[in-house]
Amino acid sequence: DLIMRCCNSDGLVLRPDVSATEIDKYFLNAAGIDKSSNVLSGNGEVWATTSVIGNSEYFRYYYVFSVNLQKSFELYPAYIAQYRSYGDAVITNWLAYETNTTDSYKMFNESSPLTLSVSNKATFEYYSFIPLLSTDTDGYYLQGEVDKWITVSRQRFKQIIYEDSGAVYVRIEGAVDETVNIAFVKYPDMKQTIVKCKVGQTQQVVIRMPANTCSPY
């Protein structure tokens, strides 16, 4: 199961766009120059990476891994902002969830940092971050493959369209006869829906929410 969390049924690795790197706070602590109250102390490590579908920050997802934290640590969006690169689109709010509780969400922004818990190699935390286009309107958001480490990878997801009505259109790619489980979250209800799709001969399918349908592309 751990191996299959990394790839599709044909063995294609579902990977982020860039290799994960330590956040700057790690190096500031290692150099002994972080004098703030929010210090990544001791041997604590926080790694981050990202994936974006298309060329828009509206569809950029983040992934954060924390381990060996000797005390809790407040993670802010600014700590992972180095990945932002596309145009004028600005996302300031995300829904964060931990890989062991994928239907439990926390608002993540500069006013509401994510608290990473004390941990060791057996109790590490792994969070994914869903970009919110707006906090003022209701709608469905793509959460992704919650049974994979990289929940929204370019290898799987080819197109995301959010409609004014709050509906969402997602086009994915997979191996023939592969079954995929794609999660969506309804905002602001914070309710998760998982759509199970079987990929056919075209190797691409379209999923629509809230219609909860899966059809060949």
Side-chain angles (χ1 to χ4, degrees), residues 137-205:
T137 57
D138 298 3
Y140 285 87
Y141 284 92
L142 172 66
Q143 183 173 1
E145 292 185 275
V146 292
D147 52 359
K148 306 295 184 183
W149 293 118
I150 304 302
T151 54
V152 181
S153 67
R154 287 179 183 255
Q155 291 73 41
R156 175 74 77 197
F157 292 86
K158 301 305 175 182
Q159 188 177 26
I160 306 169
I161 298 175
Y162 290 121
E163 300 176 354
D164 292 341
S165 63
V168 58
Y169 165 108
V170 175
R171 179 163 55 90
I172 67 171
E173 186 171 276
V176 174
D177 292 333
E178 180 179 17
T179 298
V180 296
N181 300 296
I182 308 298
F184 298 84
V185 55
K186 175 70 181 303
Y187 179 87
D189 303 353
M190 304 300 192
K191 182 179 179 181
Q192 183 190 73
T193 300
I194 295 179
V195 180
K196 180 174 288 189
C197 286
K198 187 171 183 179
V199 180
Q201 294 297 321
T202 65
Q203 295 190 274
Q204 291 196 7
V205 295

Side-chain angles (χ1 to χ4, degrees), residues 11-25:
L12 176 67
V13 177
L14 305 174
R15 57 190 183 273
D17 292 355
V18 295
S19 298
T21 57
E22 293 265 23
I23 65 172
D24 288 350
K25 277 282 190 175

Side-chain angles (χ1 to χ4, degrees), residues 81-100:
Q82 70 270 22
Y83 295 113
R84 304 178 193 177
S85 60
Y86 287 115
D88 297 328
V90 177
I91 295 293
T92 57
N93 295 281
W94 295 261
L95 294 181
Y97 64 93
E98 211 278 326
T99 192
N100 293 300

